[in-house]
Every structure is written in C-alpha cells, then in structure tokens.
Amino acid sequence: MNASDRLTVGHYMLRRWSIEDDVRNLERLGYRSISLASTKLAAYGPAPAVRLLRSSGLRVAHVGSYGRFGTEARTVRRGLDEVRRALGWLHALGGDVLVVISGGRDGAAWDDAARAYGDAYAALLPEATAAGVRLAIEVIHPLRQDLSFINTLGDAREIAARAGRRGGYVLDFWHSGWERGLLDHIRRDAARRIHAVQVSDYKRATMRTLDRALLGRGILPLQTMIRALEDGGYRGWYEIEIISDDVDRMGYERVLRHTRRAMTRLLGAGS
C-alpha cells in the first residue's frame, strides 16, 4: 500500500463524536481506515457497528482493547470469553489486529499475573489465526496500573516469545517512546513481533496518559522511529491515537488534516 493508505484513525481520540460522526467525517476527509475502541463499540452496540462499518467505505484495521484477565480462574474465563466475542466482530469486519490488555494484577506477584495473562494469550492465538486476525499484546505506561502491568516492551516481548512465532504486541509511541533501547527493539521486532503501531507525540512534561502532543509538537524522534520500523520490515497500519484535551479544543477536523500531512511526510521520509 502507499503511505497514505496505511493510516488508520483510532476513534477513541474522537471522543466527542459518535460512531456515525466518525464514519461520516473520516470518509469526507479522505481517510480510508478506522480503528475501533472497545468503549465506543460497547456504547453503540457491536452488531449495529458491524452493519454501519460494512456499509461504509472505511476499512477496519484494529480493534481494542479486550481481555483484562486478572489472575483468578473466573476472571481469566471472563477475559477469554470477551476476547472470543471480539474476534468474531473483527472477523466479520475483515479487520487485521485485535488488541488484548492484561488488566491490573490486584496484589498478585508480577510473575504469577504474567503467567496467567501469557497462558490466556497463548490459548487464544490459534483461534485468532483461524479467524485471520493477529492478536497483539498491549503495553501501557506504568502510570495506569489499573489497566495493565505489562508496562515495558521487554514485558511484552517476553510474553509474545513464550507464545510462539505468532505472538506479537502493539508499539504505542506514547506508552513506549520513552524506553531505553527503543530503536533496537523496533529493528528486531518490526517484521514479525510488532503487529500494530499507534502514533502520537510526547509532551516534555505531563502527568496524564491522555495528554498527548500533536505530531511534531513533542519530543519524540518520530522520523527516526518510523524509519526504524520501515527499514526493519514493518508493513502494517499506523494508527493515529492522539488523545488529548488539546485535540478536543482544536477541533477534530483540524487535527485530522494536520496529522495526515505530518504522517505522509514521516512515512515518505521513512521509506
């Protein structure tokens, strides 16, 4: 695909729009793909969302996040059932990647929680493969221990490797762009382990995970990161996920136009 064809918009960043608004405006602005967030999908209803998206001109790239397995047998079963339902929706939409999140560890030792999550993830991989979907481990910044204890790329890489050759993870620029050894991880994993990329920039100072910078207005070496992905063999989607009060104030149309121009430049420089 051309660079512009590999852009998808994470619709959680469009927090004040409905799913109908998302679809109508992304089509009008010339975007070709959307990525769905579990919160919006649940509020609208998965079945109506499938009908809406299948009748649109947008391709669905990613759906997330599902799982939150916990460490007890009952919570693991609940997480497995949730992911299986989401696999069905994504398969119906012809999407590529389902994002799975660990949830908190609720006082359990990290290794015990990781074992429960890793076992659940590995058990789901054959079903995802049969549905034509890649299952991606989500890495979350350590500020949000309620959402995940998988806080570093090292955590995700370890669990993905244990699950076998189909194991992989999401590279989120905001959640992982601060890590030591980032570019080495990208180069090693771009072709096989990195299943999805979520793009934003990082402010010099913030205390909130939902306070992200527009591309080029933060401190991340975006061009270097994208060049490492492209040179390493990544050929998947770039999901725009700039979630911020700044985005709400600026207006989504203005932000989407700015972001497409910025990503087209970055992908052109990285190819």
Side-chain angles (χ1 to χ4, degrees):
M1 292 188 288
N2 295 327
S4 61
D5 294 334
R6 295 171 63 194
L7 302 185
T8 183
V9 177
H11 76 178
Y12 185 55
M13 72 176 275
L14 311 173
R15 294 181 290 185
R16 296 180 180 175
W17 281 357
S18 67
I19 290 184
E20 292 99 332
D21 292 335
D22 297 337
V23 171
R24 180 177 67 254
N25 287 298
L26 289 178
E27 287 185 313
R28 179 176 59 83
L29 293 170
Y31 279 89
R32 300 181 182 181
S33 176
I34 189 171
S35 290
L36 307 178
S38 59
T39 48
K40 269 194 171 183
L41 199 56
Y44 188 76
V50 169
R51 290 194 294 271
L52 174 67
L53 269 299
R54 290 185 68 173
S55 67
S56 79
L58 295 175
R59 183 172 175 183
V60 174
H62 308 148
V63 172
S65 305
Y66 291 92
R68 300 199 189 198
F69 299 98
T71 56
E72 300 178 11
R74 63 178 180 83
T75 60
V76 171
R77 285 196 299 272
R78 183 183 64 205
L80 289 167
D81 290 342
E82 181 181 86
V83 172
R84 286 174 176 134
R85 287 192 294 271
L87 278 172
W89 304 328
L90 188 56
H91 178 68
L93 289 164
D96 292 330
V97 175
L98 181 69
V99 178
V100 288
I101 194 168
S102 71
R105 53 190 174 104
D106 301 325
W110 192 94
D111 287 338
D112 292 339
R115 189 176 303 109
Y117 176 61
D119 289 349
Y121 175 74
L124 289 162
L125 276 177
E127 298 173 49
T129 300
V133 172
R134 285 174 294 169
L135 213 57
I137 297 166
E138 184 154 27
V139 182
I140 297 289
H141 192 285
L143 278 169
R144 294 300 305 269
Q145 291 296 302
D146 59 321
L147 295 178
S148 180
F149 58 88
I150 308 300
N151 302 136
T152 69
L153 293 177
D155 297 340
R157 298 176 82 240
E158 179 181 327
I159 293 171
R162 286 180 188 169
R165 67 185 189 89
R166 296 188 183 277
Y169 61 88
V170 180
L171 173 65
D172 185 306
F173 284 12
W174 200 92
H175 289 294
S176 300
W178 52 273
E179 287 201 45
R180 181 182 181 186
L182 174 69
L183 295 177
D184 288 339
H185 289 322
I186 289 174
R187 294 186 186 104
R188 284 197 295 269
D189 292 348
R192 193 177 80 178
R193 295 289 188 199
I194 297 176
H195 289 347
V197 174
Q198 294 176 329
V199 180
S200 62
D201 211 336
Y202 208 108
K203 294 183 179 180
R204 185 172 297 278
T206 183
M207 293 296 290
R208 298 172 54 230
T209 61
L210 304 184
D211 185 29
R212 307 178 188 187
L214 266 65
L215 303 186
R217 299 188 184 177
I219 61 173
L220 292 180
L222 298 174
Q223 185 170 321
T224 303
M225 293 163 71
I226 287 176
R227 182 178 295 278
L229 282 159
E230 293 296 299
D231 289 350
Y234 180 73
R235 296 296 179 265
W237 296 94
Y238 287 91
E239 177 183 345
I240 310 306
E241 195 176 57
I242 309 167
I243 309 169
S244 169
D245 294 342
D246 298 339
V247 170
D248 293 339
R249 284 190 292 267
M250 287 179 64
Y252 299 144
E253 182 166 336
R254 181 180 171 194
V255 170
L256 288 167
R257 290 186 187 280
H258 169 274
T259 301
R260 183 168 54 193
R261 290 193 299 270
M263 279 301 298
T264 298
R265 288 194 299 270
L266 287 167
L267 283 167
S271 61

